[in-house]
Amino acid sequence: MIEQLIMNGFVLGATIALMSTGMNLVFGILRVVNFYHGEAFMFGAAIVYFLSVTAGLNYWLSLLIAVVLVGLLGWGLDKAIFKRLRKNLVGGAMAALGLSLVFLNMMWYILGPLAKSIPSVVTGTISVGGAVVSLERVMIAGISFGVVGVLFWIVRNTKLGKSMRAVQQDSEAALVQGINVEYVCGITFAIATGLAALAGGLVGPLYAVHPPMGMSMLLLSFVVIILGGMGTTIGALIASFIIGFQQSFTSAYVGAEWAMAISCVIAIVVLAIRPRGLVGHD
């Protein structure tokens, strides 16, 4: 039982990390509280559904197309809207919330009121430390963890990553140093929304595909970002697994209806002790 809950928590934590890491990048670099991120998650699942189930394309090709399309949409939204609202926390948050509502209602019209399902890509189970886990969940966790690891490497070791960190620390100084701030901001938004779409497309076969599916993941991502420390990528990763394990154990021993509430209580307690989160600097 314990082993099973640990594995479930690890899979959920890896998925949350995929969502929250991108969302944290947007906040850290663009200073935008991106309420639209949940819809990017939902778009990923919806596009995979339409391409793989309705159009009959290969699942993996559908997933790749979904990531690219949602990433390009994120780039376009940054250039059209968020470019004018950077570092304006209230204005950016309101614009993102408005976009979220528009896209949510649009998808109610496109998807309809009934939840859709995506056939499982990988079947079978595997025994890990006494826990029986579906190969599909192992695949999701592996891909999520691998992508987050690659993103960390990019941020730490590549020219683009160094430019991101420079813009995060001081965008005006970065501009003086010859860094194309507009490009960095645009690519950051594209990467973040693409990661959300990847997360949605990966878990689409596990859960029902419907317009509000991104709401709970969005709230979990907010909790993770606040818990780990806003703008800190390593903090988001640590907090993702804390919340993933908490959600798994709470659902089993207390009740699924309490899982989200307890996640929020944990974040509140940590903020009362460390206002900048677990990893944020005081």
Side-chain angles (χ1 to χ4, degrees):
M1 178 65 174
I2 297 297
E3 293 86 353
Q4 187 72 56
L5 294 177
I6 290 174
M7 286 304 302
N8 290 343
F10 182 79
V11 172
L12 179 58
T15 307
I16 297 172
L18 200 56
M19 277 282 291
S20 60
T21 300
M23 192 172 176
N24 220 13
L25 274 178
V26 170
F27 177 80
I29 296 175
L30 280 72
R31 289 295 185 266
V32 171
V33 181
N34 189 16
F35 287 103
Y36 157 73
H37 214 64
E39 272 52 64
F41 175 85
M42 178 265 293
F43 278 163
I47 292 172
V48 169
Y49 166 77
F50 283 119
L51 292 179
S52 65
V53 177
T54 304
L57 291 182
N58 175 270
Y59 168 82
W60 297 107
L61 177 60
S62 301
L63 182 61
L64 177 60
I65 293 173
V67 171
V68 172
L69 288 179
V70 178
L72 289 174
L73 176 60
W75 178 288
L77 290 174
D78 175 65
K79 298 307 176 188
I81 299 173
F82 294 107
K83 176 181 179 180
R84 300 164 177 80
L85 298 170
R86 286 172 194 154
K87 299 185 179 180
N88 181 348
L89 288 178
V90 176
M94 292 304 296
L97 181 59
L99 283 172
S100 174
L101 294 174
V102 169
F103 286 131
L104 180 61
N105 283 281
M106 180 183 73
M107 291 308 293
W108 274 116
Y109 178 78
I110 295 174
L111 278 174
L114 298 178
K116 307 297 189 293
S117 61
I118 300 173
S120 296
V121 183
V122 179
T123 58
T125 60
I126 186 173
S127 180
V128 181
V132 178
V133 187
S134 69
L135 288 174
E136 191 167 43
R137 290 181 180 271
V138 173
M139 175 200 72
I140 292 170
I143 293 175
S144 299
F145 202 71
V147 170
V148 170
V150 169
L151 181 63
F152 269 81
W153 182 85
I154 290 173
V155 171
R156 291 293 175 185
N157 299 285
T158 66
K159 182 178 179 180
L160 174 61
K162 292 175 182 177
S163 298
M164 287 179 173
R165 286 186 282 140
V167 173
Q168 181 177 12
Q169 293 172 6
D170 191 329
S171 59
E172 293 182 1
L175 186 62
V176 172
Q177 293 297 319
I179 295 174
N180 188 337
V181 174
E182 291 303 318
Y183 172 79
V184 171
C185 290
I187 200 67
T188 298
F189 213 102
I191 290 173
T193 52
L195 289 178
L198 176 61
L202 285 174
V203 303
L206 291 180
Y207 307 112
V209 179
H210 57 116
M213 68 181 295
M215 290 183 179
S216 59
M217 191 61 72
L218 176 68
L219 182 54
L220 282 176
S221 297
F222 269 120
V223 170
V224 160
I225 291 171
I226 293 170
L227 180 61
M230 297 191 78
T232 60
T233 50
I234 188 64
L237 181 62
I238 294 171
S240 293
F241 287 101
I242 292 175
I243 294 301
F245 292 132
Q246 173 268 315
Q247 288 270 316
S248 178
F249 279 85
T250 300
S251 297
Y253 291 111
V254 181
E257 67 274 12
W258 286 96
M260 186 66 74
I262 293 177
S263 295
C264 294
V265 169
I266 291 173
I268 291 170
V269 171
V270 170
L271 284 178
I273 300 171
R274 286 185 57 85
R276 294 187 179 273
L278 294 173
V279 181
H281 300 293
D282 295 322

